[in-house]
Amino acid sequence: MKKITALALAALATTFVVPASAQFAKAEDAVKYRQSAFFVMQQNFGRVAGMAAGKVPFDAKVAADSAAVAEYVGKLPWAAFGQGTDKGDTKAKAAIWTDKATFDEGANKMQAEMVKLAAAAKTGNLDNIKVAANAVGGTCKSCHDDFKAK
Amino acid sequence: MKKITALALAALATTFVVPASAQFAKAEDAVKYRQSAFFVMQQNFGRVAGMAAGKVPFDAKVAADSAAVAEYVGKLPWAAFGQGTDKGDTKAKAAIWTDKATFDEGANKMQAEMVKLAAAAKTGNLDNIKVAANAVGGTCKSCHDDFKAK
């Protein structure tokens, strides 16, 4: 019985994405956590974007793997923007907390475009990847403009 | 038709794990990448280990989500231990590269125990989680003793 419930929850969790209810011991841990997740995401996305831009030779397997990792890890940073994590070694602007609805919308848009990129990369079609990578890049920039200090 | 193929590939990708073939622009990026992935993994594993140790109230959903993230992200650092990434801001010992077989064995053991922990966490059974979390912790310690400077 317990098992069935757990499986049902697991199924839900894969549908509604999995950013573990954030419980960080210290605010610094939350800051480092979101920076770490963004870095892992960016390294993987950057690899695909580099191929899309023709700066790196296209390798369909690497593109698909990297986009899949970027999609997954791109779900993680958001749980680490809790109250009280606006201080310390962070470029996060106050607007993240004062205009949380807009921030959340941007975060969701990025994740939605990343899902499309991962799907495009799985097809192995470079033209599709270019379109999707541009869309992801647009969501990164738009959010950074508003919510990340230079 | 294309859509069906993409879905079939997606199903495969979730079966066979996805550590992107490492292509880092700079050695520093590789070092930061593996440190970032380890940190994200450790934060998620630590949450589950805290529950297993009775230091944090048990929450089955958080444990299952966190263990799933730790399992996934625990696959990522290894691609970033390429040649030439032994310098700079890293505690990686030279033995990682001179005794790569042992290092790889430890990395694989950790990942295997993390799979078991994620499975245990999905059952929601705290006793199973305790056993699995201890096993993961053992693999962390054993590898750190041999391959990570204090």
Side-chain angles (χ1 to χ4, degrees), chain A residues 6 13 18 20-21 23-24 29 32-33 36-37 39-40 43-44 47 62 65-66 68-69 72-73 76 122 125, chain B residues 2 9-10 18 20-21 23-24 29 32-33 36-37 39-40 43-44 47 62 65-66 68-69 72-73 76 122:
Chain A
V18 201
S21 299
Q23 296 175 337
F24 296 95
D29 289 344
K32 189 173 171 185
Y33 186 86
S36 297
F39 186 75
V40 171
Q43 288 289 303
N44 282 282
R47 205 174 289 139
V62 172
D65 288 354
S66 301
V69 173
Y72 186 96
V73 178
L76 303 180
K122 267 173 204 149
N125 180 310
Chain B
K2 214 168 220 175
L9 283 173
V18 202
S21 300
Q23 296 175 338
F24 297 95
D29 289 344
K32 189 173 170 186
Y33 186 87
S36 296
F39 186 75
V40 171
Q43 288 288 302
N44 282 282
R47 205 173 288 139
V62 172
D65 287 353
S66 300
V69 173
Y72 186 96
V73 178
L76 303 180
K122 265 176 205 144

Side-chain angles (χ1 to χ4, degrees), chain A residues 95-96 99-108 143 146-147:
Chain A
I96 290 171
D99 189 6
K100 190 158 166 31
T102 308
F103 179 70
D104 288 347
E105 196 186 314
N108 289 336
C143 227
D146 292 342
F147 296 108

